[in-house]
Amino acid sequence: MTNAPAHATAADLLALSPVIPVVVVDDAEHAVPLAEALLRGGVRVIELTLRTPAALAAIERVAAEVPGIVIGAGTVTAPEHAEQAAKAGAAFLVTPGSTDRVLDAAEDTGLPFLPGAATVSEAMRLAERGLTSLKFFPAEAAGGVDYLKSIGGPLPGLRFCPTGGITPATAPNYLALPNVGCVGGSWLAPKDALASGDWARVEELARAASAL
């Protein structure tokens, strides 16, 4: 089962929300109330990273129980991750970097995906494969707003979702760039809020992010 929008493309993902929450879930039981809180706050998408043993089960729960939100799998770093995430119900995939095997596996799922790039050469190589909606990671460490502004001229056909080190204070600077569709942010789902079940706080953070 998947809750992907019909005929969704990678470009569509960049338009779902100004901020895509990048979430690490240690307990699958937190996934549904977290997704519901984000949705109440106006955020219709979530990238749940494959960094914990609970991740695939969490994706499966959200896909089955929160149809109003588009659930994606992040930290796809191996070919098998792509297939596992698709079977769990992920509507899209996100990779931190781009190897041929991971790209091939992501394409084989038929799901839209945001491949990661941190250099001009990586971005050009992805464009050669017809991939023009990319993740820029790690955004702050790799040059941030100034870097994306610099590559906008020679690479006008590419748009990015920068992720990594972005905060509510710096997000507007990224979103003001013409080659940025949205940003990824981990601040929408703080670990302490998930651990304590403070869904009202998550909802408040989501509401602020959706207004950026």
Side-chain angles (χ1 to χ4, degrees):
M1 176 179 180
T2 179
N3 52 1
H7 311 299
T9 67
D12 295 331
L13 299 176
L14 300 185
L16 286 172
S17 172
V19 183
I20 295 180
V22 180
V23 181
V24 179
V25 171
D26 293 307
D27 184 346
E29 293 297 320
H30 294 156
V32 168
L34 167 66
E36 290 173 339
L38 291 170
L39 200 55
R40 287 195 301 271
V43 173
R44 300 184 296 121
V45 60
I46 178 173
E47 176 190 332
L48 208 156
T49 63
L50 302 182
R51 299 182 189 179
T52 68
L56 289 172
I59 290 171
E60 191 170 353
R61 290 282 300 272
V62 173
E65 299 178 43
V66 194
I69 203 161
V70 181
I71 175 74
T75 320
V76 174
T77 58
E80 59 269 24
H81 291 166
E83 183 179 0
Q84 291 164 353
K87 286 183 177 178
F92 67 94
L93 309 172
V94 184
T95 74
S98 299
T99 67
D100 287 332
R101 291 180 66 223
V102 168
L103 293 174
D104 290 344
E107 288 176 342
D108 285 346
T109 67
L111 296 175
F113 65 100
L114 299 175
T119 69
V120 171
S121 293
E122 288 171 344
M124 289 174 62
R125 189 164 170 272
L126 290 167
E128 285 182 352
R129 291 183 66 130
L131 302 169
T132 57
S133 296
L134 314 178
K135 172 175 177 170
F136 177 56
F137 176 84
E140 285 289 290
V145 170
D146 288 342
Y147 187 89
L148 285 172
K149 189 182 298 183
S150 297
I151 68 174
L155 302 175
L158 301 182
R159 298 192 79 220
F160 296 89
C161 173
T163 303
I166 298 173
T167 67
T170 60
N173 300 327
Y174 284 93
L175 293 169
L177 298 176
N179 59 347
V180 169
C182 62
V183 301
S186 59
W187 75 85
L188 280 79
K191 274 190 171 291
D192 59 339
L194 270 63
S196 64
D198 189 354
W199 310 122
R201 181 180 171 200
V202 172
E203 180 181 344
E204 181 181 344
L205 291 168
R207 187 166 287 111
S210 64
L212 288 174

